[in-house]
Amino acid sequence: SQTIHQWPATLVQPVGSPLSLECTVEGTSNPNLYWYRQAAGRGLQLLFYSVGIGQISSEVPQNLSASRPQDRQFILSSKKLLLSDSGFYLCAYGGGTDTQYFGPGTRLTVL
Amino acid sequence: AQKITQTQPGMFVQEKEAVTLDCTYDTSDPSYGLFWYKQPSSGEMIFLIYQGSYDQQNATEGRYSLNFQKARKSANLVISASQLGDSAMYFCAMRGLNTGGFKTIFGAGTRLFVKA
């Protein structure tokens, strides 16, 4: 069976610091991978998706970037965090009919 | 453009009763998929149910059923015999299978409160 991991679970970072969030998937090959952000009390905003190693599509221009160095690894990064980057970050992989299955999420607070 | 609308910010239901969460959608894609997710206070998004636009029957998964009315572009979630553990945020989502690419769009969500 497939499982998806994210870490860290929570993160508090100062403005201007770098960011690296990691997501890994087990039990499947060449999945579609997704990064979403959810502001408090809001819906999900798609940030990036990837259909294969090194293939990244960006949905929202911002100071975040994503990389997929391995088939089942998806990384979300920033060189300098902004206050507006605070939120709940969710990674997902696409299953049958591209139903998306989500990881446990990372709660990021930028101070 | 694709759009998902959930007009109920919050809903209350008595334990053991059924509740319907509304979802309407808009798409020009002739083939699409509709999804419902549950997000408890822990934050994890849990997949509940899927309905394909060409499926002849409404989808069901245990206590969850999707009331799919294609002509009205609605995909309401029905939860039967509500339990206290059903208290959570519920999101409706859609993906256009032809022109939507790999993007799934989500509604703003409905918060369900189950009363004992």
Side-chain angles (χ1 to χ4, degrees):
Chain A
S1 64
Q2 298 90 358
T3 55
I4 180 168
H5 305 278
Q6 280 185 252
W7 63 91
T10 59
L11 193 58
V12 180
Q13 292 285 95
V15 169
S17 63
L19 173 73
S20 181
L21 304 181
E22 189 163 346
C23 170
T24 59
V25 182
E26 296 176 358
T28 185
S29 297
N30 196 31
N32 294 336
L33 296 174
Y34 304 83
W35 277 112
Y36 289 88
R37 178 169 61 200
Q38 185 180 30
R42 306 288 292 276
L44 274 68
Q45 178 188 37
L46 178 62
L47 301 176
F48 301 94
Y49 67 91
S50 170
V51 300
I53 296 174
Q55 300 179 63
I56 308 295
S57 295
S58 173
E59 288 298 305
V60 182
Q62 58 215 329
N63 69 319
L64 299 173
S65 62
S67 62
R68 185 169 177 175
Q70 299 181 45
D71 182 43
R72 288 169 287 180
Q73 183 184 31
F74 205 21
I75 297 172
L76 183 69
S77 303
S78 174
K79 292 182 179 178
K80 289 185 177 181
L81 284 168
L82 307 173
L83 287 174
S84 58
D85 291 324
S86 292
F88 190 53
Y89 287 82
L90 288 156
C91 179
Y93 72 91
T97 65
D98 204 36
T99 298
Q100 292 181 24
Y101 296 93
F102 289 81
T106 294
R107 201 165 299 279
L108 172 66
T109 303
V110 183
L111 301 174
Chain B
Q2 300 181 99
K3 186 178 180 181
I4 291 281
T5 302
Q6 294 180 255
T7 57
Q8 306 154 313
M11 288 280 288
F12 287 85
V13 65
Q14 196 67 39
E15 191 179 11
K16 300 181 184 178
E17 293 184 350
V19 63
T20 298
L21 306 183
D22 294 341
C23 173
T24 57
Y25 61 91
D26 193 17
T27 180
S28 57
D29 204 314
S31 181
Y32 49 90
L34 296 157
F35 310 82
W36 276 93
Y37 288 85
K38 172 184 178 181
Q39 187 178 42
S41 56
S42 62
E44 186 171 358
M45 293 283 285
I46 302 168
F47 167 69
L48 295 177
I49 195 166
Y50 167 82
Q51 176 85 42
S53 59
Y54 287 105
D55 292 342
Q56 295 295 316
Q57 293 187 324
N58 287 344
T60 60
E61 289 287 348
R63 294 186 300 110
Y64 304 108
S65 60
L66 200 153
N67 184 3
F68 179 46
Q69 298 186 46
K70 194 170 183 178
R72 298 180 62 182
K73 294 190 174 181
S74 73
N76 299 338
L77 177 71
V78 180
I79 305 175
S80 63
S82 296
Q83 302 172 355
L84 295 178
D86 294 335
S87 293
M89 281 289 286
Y90 288 82
F91 291 94
C92 179
M94 176 180 67
R95 175 175 170 244
L97 300 179
N98 290 342
T99 62
F102 297 94
K103 292 181 282 187
T104 299
I105 60 168
F106 288 77
T110 295
R111 184 169 294 279
L112 178 66
F113 300 91
V114 180
K115 300 181 291 183

